[in-house]
Amino acid sequence: MTRQNSAGVPLLVLAGGRCVPRPLPAYIMGIVNATPDSFWEKSRVPCAGDLSGAVERALALVEDGCDILDIGAESTRPGWQEVPAEEEMARLVPLVADIRRYSTVPISVDTRKLSVMREAWNAGADILNDVSALEDDPDLAQFAAHTDIPVVLMHRKGIPQAGQDAGGQYTDPASCVLRGLLDRAAFAERAGIKKEKIILDPGIGFGKQYEDNRALIRGIGTLVNSGYPVLLGVSRKRCIGTMTGRDVPQRLAGTLAAEMYAVLHGAAFVRVHDVRETRDMLAVVQELTGR
C-alpha cells in the first residue's frame, strides 16, 4: 500500500523513507529543461558552461512553490533526436549538483538511460522519470529497486522520435493505456521496485492523436482507479492548443483547466511549466472542495 497522511492522501516516499509533504490536492513538478530544443522556450535553461542561470531558474520554481523539480537533458518533443549519454550527463549532472548545494527539494530526472540516472543519483537526484517506462534500458529497473527511488512510468505508442500522431487512434484510450502501464508496472515490481514507489503517466502527446489525448484526460479516473498514483503532464501541449486555438505562449489557461479536471478526478501529480499559477489553482480547488 502507498503510504498516506492522516487525511488518506497518498504520500511520495523517497529513498530512506523520507516523506515529501503534500499541502495541496496534488504534487507540483516544476519543469527544468537543460536542452536547446524543448518546445516551450521559456522552460529551457543553459545546458553548458555557466550554469548560474539554470540554477536561478530552478530555485525560482522552488520559490514559486513546486514540490519537485523535474530536470531533463534530452527533449522528447515531436521529432526529437536522441542525445548521447555522455552529452546528456554533461548537461544534467552538474546542474543537479549545483541545485543540491542550495536546496533540498526533491529532484526528478527525466531520462531513459541507466548511466545518466546513476550519475544524477550520485549528484543528489531522488526520482526517476522514464518516458519509456523502463523499456529502453531495462537495467534501470534493477537500479531503481536497489536505490529504492520512486519511478514514473510513462506510456508511449509508436517509435519514440515520432511523437504525437504516430500511433493512430485507440478504440478505448484510457483502458488501452492502463493495460500497457499495468504491464510495465508488473515488470517493475518483478524487478524489485515496490508498488508504493511506482507512479503512472498516461503520456499525453506521445504517439497519440488529439482524440486519444482528449479521451485520456477525460478518462484519467480509469488510471487513478488502478491503485497507483497518477501523474498528468499536459502543460502547454499541442492538444491544449487544439482545444483552445492558441499557440504555445497562450496555453496557460487551457493547461490549468485540464490540470484542474485531472486533479478533481484523482491525479496526484501535475508536471508543469507554470508553478505559481498552478499552485494558485490548486489552492482554490482545496478551498472549494475541502481536499
Side-chain angles (χ1 to χ4, degrees), residues 173-192:
S175 295
C176 290
V177 166
L178 177 59
R179 283 196 297 271
L181 285 172
L182 290 179
D183 179 69
R184 299 312 300 162
F187 168 82
E189 291 185 51
R190 288 195 300 271

Side-chain angles (χ1 to χ4, degrees), residues 232-288:
L232 183 73
V234 74
S235 185
R236 296 181 182 268
K237 287 188 175 180
R238 187 189 301 178
C239 63
I240 299 298
T242 302
M243 292 178 191
T244 61
R246 303 289 187 184
D247 292 330
V248 176
Q250 288 82 44
R251 293 176 187 170
L252 174 58
T255 294
L256 292 172
E259 290 167 350
M260 178 183 288
Y261 178 92
V263 170
L264 288 172
H265 286 81
F269 297 80
V270 285
R271 182 177 179 272
V272 308
H273 298 98
D274 306 281
V275 169
R276 183 179 301 174
E277 294 84 351
T278 303
R279 192 168 188 85
D280 288 350
M281 177 270 288
L282 291 174
V284 172
V285 169
Q286 181 169 273
E287 286 297 309
L288 295 180

Side-chain angles (χ1 to χ4, degrees), residues 37-38 74-80 110 112 131 160 163 205-206 271:
D37 56 346
S38 292
E74 180 182 63
S75 173
T76 49
R77 68 176 186 174
W80 62 278
D110 186 349
R112 305 170 296 116
V131 300
F206 283 77
R271 182 177 179 272

